[in-house]
Amino acid sequence: MSDQTWLSKLKQHKAIAVIRTPKMYWGEQMAMAVASAGMQLIEITWDSDRARDLISELRVHLPHCLIGTGTLFNVQQLQEAIAAGAQFLFTPHTDVEMIKRAVFKNVPIIPGALTPTEIITAWHQGASSVKVFPVQAMGGVNYIRSLQGPLGHIPLIPTGGVTIDNASAFLQGGAIAVGLSGELFPKQWVLTENWSAISTQSKDLMVRLNGDSQLLAQ
């Protein structure tokens, strides 16, 4: 997938559901719940239970979604993730060799960065976009807004502090998309397997970000 296609998907859908789960079954149901609500960008963290199998399975059962992975720490994990079918790759840090490998394989990679120097380094090395993490520690929406002057040409995806209530503000502040994990998947809802509540909350998020007309058109 080209970087332009990836950026187009980000602009269209605006939010990434980040799934970290100790049980593959829960991961399946969490993904199905957000997909039924209209979310089409789903990240399975590499430290989830049977992440490889989960990615491969979701690629089959959710063909209209992009299934990626995150929390990749080294080149070996990156190569395994691509082999499993991951369609985009998130890392918590900026690793030049990992970026080069992903670019060579034509798989979008989104390295984690926080300071302007880190963000620019990731972008210049070939990142498809840059994850700003943990954004809340740097001031949240105000930090993203303050980066727009010098770094407005770099597509930023804030995570770590994004909520249902402030997600729209991050987009208005200049982010191309946002990533949500615990906010979309409250621990108690997962433990009680309340997938309908997760779906309802995800739909609320999509309506807030996209409006009813776009959601209904999906």
Side-chain angles (χ1 to χ4, degrees):
M1 176 169 46
S2 71
D3 285 348
Q4 289 305 311
T5 300
W6 167 244
L7 294 176
S8 176
K9 292 291 186 181
L10 288 176
K11 291 176 182 177
Q12 179 183 357
H13 298 292
K14 301 181 176 63
I16 301 163
V18 182
I19 295 174
R20 174 176 281 107
T21 175
K23 293 184 180 182
M24 182 177 172
Y25 170 73
W26 283 355
E28 295 169 349
Q29 297 306 310
M30 292 158 77
M32 296 296 179
V34 296
S36 70
M39 298 191 74
Q40 294 188 20
L41 303 177
I42 300 174
E43 173 193 334
I44 305 299
T45 64
W46 197 244
D47 54 356
S48 291
D49 178 45
R50 295 171 61 192
R52 300 169 183 78
D53 295 336
L54 183 53
I55 291 167
S56 298
E57 182 173 302
L58 293 177
R59 285 290 308 274
V60 173
H61 293 298
L62 297 174
H64 61 291
C65 295
L66 289 182
I67 309 298
T69 192
T71 320
L72 297 170
F73 286 102
N74 53 56
V75 170
Q76 180 178 344
Q77 290 180 342
L78 181 143
Q79 292 174 323
E80 292 174 356
I82 294 174
Q87 294 170 286
F88 58 85
L89 311 163
F90 275 81
T91 68
H93 63 309
T94 295
D95 183 303
V96 173
E97 188 58 32
M98 292 178 73
I99 295 174
K100 289 181 178 178
R101 293 295 183 94
V103 170
F104 178 74
K105 292 289 187 177
N106 200 32
V107 180
I109 184 167
I110 307 89
L114 192 57
T115 68
T117 296
E118 292 171 344
I119 293 169
I120 292 172
T121 297
W123 181 246
H124 284 175
Q125 291 299 325
S128 305
S129 44
V130 180
K131 177 175 78 168
V132 183
F133 169 83
V135 71
Q136 201 58 36
M138 297 296 280
V141 174
N142 286 335
Y143 184 58
I144 293 297
R145 188 177 293 116
S146 69
L147 292 174
Q148 292 309 297
L151 306 182
H153 61 291
I154 301 176
L156 303 177
I157 304 175
T159 68
V162 180
T163 68
I164 304 294
D165 292 329
N166 69 18
S168 293
F170 276 105
L171 297 179
Q172 293 166 4
I176 190 172
V178 293
L180 297 93
S181 181
E183 268 288 308
L184 280 181
F185 308 106
K187 185 176 180 179
Q188 190 59 35
W189 289 358
V190 175
L191 291 174
T192 58
E193 300 188 357
N194 193 348
W195 313 127
S196 62
I198 291 173
S199 181
T200 297
Q201 179 164 260
S202 301
K203 183 171 288 187
D204 177 37
L205 172 66
M206 298 308 286
V207 169
R208 292 188 189 208
L209 298 185
N210 297 301
D212 296 280
S213 58
Q214 183 168 334
L215 186 62
L216 293 173
Q218 293 177 351

